[in-house]
Amino acid sequence: EVAMASKKLGVGIHEIVHRILMDSFKETFRNKDGVLETRISKEGRAIIDDFLKHLEKTNPEAYKKVIDEVDFQYRYETRGEGIFEGEYEMKDGNTIKAKEADLLTAKEKHKLLVERKDWKEGLNYEEYLTVFSTFLRGGKIKFDKKLGEGLATWITPFLRGKGFTNIFKGKK
């Protein structure tokens, strides 16, 4: 439905990944108002963190693209239209242009920028994987042998643990 409304297949891929992740990495909880919500479980968060480590190791450029997009769209409070025109809200009450903030390290961003409430509660942590899949599908990240091998190293143990015991056996 979302893909049809936006007329973009990438949106559909993004939403499909959300659906898969909801079944694999999320847990249900009651928020402070007693409303039932879902968030990434500790196990799911560990798997996504492991994915990010593999991505950073095998393709630092792709890693940076994913981190910058997730930071702007989901992690930190922002103003403006998009990652190149917008600004981040800083903890001291000022703002910093997104282009300037993207030169900061992740630790510097965490120290200086205001995190969104839903991020702190773990509600959007899967966006690292959905943004990656969207960028891969849209050509913003190029799939090559090194990236593929890195992803296979990351995903194989997870899939085998979910019962896919013959996956990638004897394959290169």
Side-chain angles (χ1 to χ4, degrees):
E1 292 173 15
V2 175
M4 290 298 287
S6 70
K7 306 285 189 227
K8 295 180 182 176
L9 183 58
V11 173
I13 297 297
H14 182 100
E15 296 305 320
I16 287 169
V17 172
H18 270 295
R19 194 75 205 140
I20 292 167
L21 295 176
M22 190 173 292
D23 293 339
S24 300
F25 298 158
K26 289 198 171 188
E27 64 186 7
T28 303
F29 74 104
R30 290 204 182 274
N31 68 18
K32 65 179 182 169
D33 299 322
V35 177
L36 209 56
E37 292 191 62
T38 58
R39 65 178 168 212
I40 294 292
S41 66
K42 287 180 183 177
E43 177 191 16
R45 208 174 173 114
I47 291 166
I48 293 170
D49 286 342
D50 194 44
F51 161 77
L52 291 171
K53 287 177 193 169
H54 274 82
L55 184 61
E56 184 176 27
K57 183 178 173 182
T58 59
N59 192 328
E61 183 182 329
Y63 171 81
K64 174 130 177 63
K65 287 178 184 179
V66 169
I67 294 295
D68 288 347
E69 182 72 9
V70 170
D71 282 353
F72 189 80
Q73 297 296 336
Y74 303 101
R75 185 168 188 169
Y76 297 109
E77 291 292 344
T78 57
R79 299 180 190 148
E81 296 294 320
I83 195 167
F84 297 108
E85 308 299 324
E87 300 175 320
Y88 290 102
E89 291 183 26
M90 298 177 68
K91 291 178 180 176
D92 66 6
N94 293 315
T95 60
I96 183 173
K97 295 280 184 196
K99 285 188 236 181
E100 295 171 33
D102 288 339
L103 299 175
L104 300 172
T105 66
K107 285 182 182 179
E108 291 169 328
K109 283 182 183 179
H110 187 69
K111 182 179 176 183
L112 297 172
L113 305 178
V114 176
E115 280 191 335
R116 292 179 172 180
K117 182 178 180 275
D118 57 351
W119 182 267
K120 290 178 191 173
E121 294 173 354
L123 300 180
N124 292 319
Y125 205 73
E126 78 275 9
E127 296 299 346
Y128 289 116
L129 296 178
T130 59
V131 165
F132 173 77
S133 68
T134 301
F135 280 7
L136 195 60
R137 175 72 176 100
K140 289 184 180 179
I141 294 175
K142 184 175 170 36
F143 188 86
D144 59 20
K145 183 178 179 181
K146 186 176 179 184
L147 178 61
E149 288 173 350
L151 292 174
T153 300
W154 165 72
I155 195 74
T156 302
F158 171 74
L159 292 175
R160 286 188 179 150
K162 294 291 182 184
F164 295 93
T165 54
N166 292 326
I167 196 158
F168 300 129
K169 280 196 174 175
K171 307 280 184 198
K172 291 212 175 199

